Amino acid sequence: MSYSVLVVEGVEHIRRVLATTLRREGLDVTEAATEGRGLRLLDERPHDVVLLDLKVPDRDGFQMCRAIRRRTDTPIIVIALRTTSRDVVVGLDAGADDYVVAPFTTEELSARIRGLGRRTRGLPGPRIQVGELDIAPRDGMVTRSGEPVALTRTEFKLLSELAIERGRAVSREELIERVWGADHVGDSRLVDVHVWRLRKKIEPTPSRPTVVTTVRGMGYRLPG
């Protein structure tokens, strides 16, 4: 299956290299040099994944993450030249689903794109009930007390995987494998930031979570 990728990169030679190598990997690639162009392309047709450099000419990459997220739940991978923990966390909190730190290999990037593109495969149906939450994995829908909850694809996948294993603590490593892909090389920050974002949307009091709870030394759990 071919996935469509929007590459937003302000440096022309880097953008061209990324686009060419990803096309060789069998991906359908669209290019944008600026935020404005990237957002117009997203409005014109859906993409499976957005690949975004955090330094685009007309806007800070973190702001563009937020702008994309206001429009769509399309997964975002940010290219990070800055590798501090704060930059990674701010990028994820701005709406990114994953990040790669330069330098990286084409194979690694392609694997992450394909991993984020596979969002509904292997999910059970038809519904999972967890307290006031009603989760429909195949339909990509979550309601709380009958009201729709707007989640990104990654947040939905994370919640669905925890719901499948409700009552059991699922480790961060297992969640990375099941949500981002078996060949993903990541760390706990990726999971922790997405759990934090998820809690803000589904918990009555996010600072005192009762739905997605932390099991110290093990991972996260939904009530059985």
Side-chain angles (χ1 to χ4, degrees):
M1 179 178 180
S2 179
Y3 295 101
S4 59
V5 184
L6 173 61
V7 177
V8 184
E9 167 59 66
V11 181
E12 183 176 3
H13 75 273
I14 296 177
R15 186 177 68 254
R16 292 292 171 84
V17 168
L18 283 171
T20 299
T21 54
L22 291 175
R23 287 183 182 119
R24 288 174 181 165
E25 291 289 315
L27 298 168
D28 175 17
V29 181
T30 307
E31 301 175 45
T34 64
E35 179 205 36
R37 174 64 174 162
L39 294 178
R40 285 195 296 274
L41 289 170
L42 280 175
D43 289 339
E44 289 172 6
R45 74 177 180 96
H47 290 75
D48 292 308
V49 177
V50 176
L51 181 62
L52 171 66
D53 190 341
L54 285 177
K55 292 185 176 180
V56 287
D58 53 343
R59 200 170 193 183
D60 180 87
F62 300 127
Q63 293 177 320
M64 185 168 180
C65 269
R66 296 184 182 96
I68 294 172
R69 191 52 70 227
R70 287 193 294 269
R71 277 171 158 79
T72 176
D73 67 349
T74 300
I76 303 168
I77 301 175
V78 296
I79 302 172
L81 298 179
R82 296 171 289 183
T83 58
T84 67
S85 296
R86 183 183 180 279
D87 286 327
V88 170
V89 170
V90 171
L92 294 173
D93 187 39
D97 298 86
D98 198 1
Y99 66 94
V100 290
V101 177
F104 48 82
T105 66
T106 302
E107 292 77 11
E108 176 190 3
L109 183 56
S110 176
R112 294 195 181 201
I113 289 170
R114 295 179 193 280
L116 284 174
R118 294 188 293 264
R119 280 312 187 199
T120 58
R121 298 178 185 181
L123 289 177
R127 313 188 85 81
I128 302 172
Q129 190 78 34
V130 181
E132 297 179 345
L133 291 179
D134 188 29
I135 306 164
R138 290 287 170 85
D139 297 330
M141 294 179 60
V142 176
T143 59
R144 184 176 64 191
S145 301
E147 295 296 321
V149 180
L151 301 180
T152 67
R153 297 188 203 181
T154 298
E155 290 162 356
F156 180 80
K157 177 69 170 173
L158 179 60
L159 178 62
S160 295
E161 293 295 346
L162 287 169
I164 292 167
E165 302 293 342
R166 58 193 183 279
R168 180 177 79 85
V170 186
S171 70
R172 292 169 174 82
E173 293 74 21
E174 185 176 350
L175 287 169
I176 286 175
E177 179 177 338
R178 293 172 68 162
V179 176
W180 286 270
D183 47 5
H184 187 284
V185 179
D187 57 39
S188 63
R189 290 175 298 183
L190 192 61
V191 177
D192 294 342
V193 173
H194 281 86
V195 167
W196 178 71
R197 281 168 43 184
L198 180 61
R199 283 171 170 166
K200 290 200 296 182
K201 296 181 178 182
I202 67 172
E203 297 278 0
T205 307
S207 60
R208 296 193 297 276
T210 58
V211 181
V212 181
T213 57
T214 303
V215 181
R216 189 174 299 278
M218 298 180 68
Y220 295 101
R221 178 174 61 198
L222 262 66

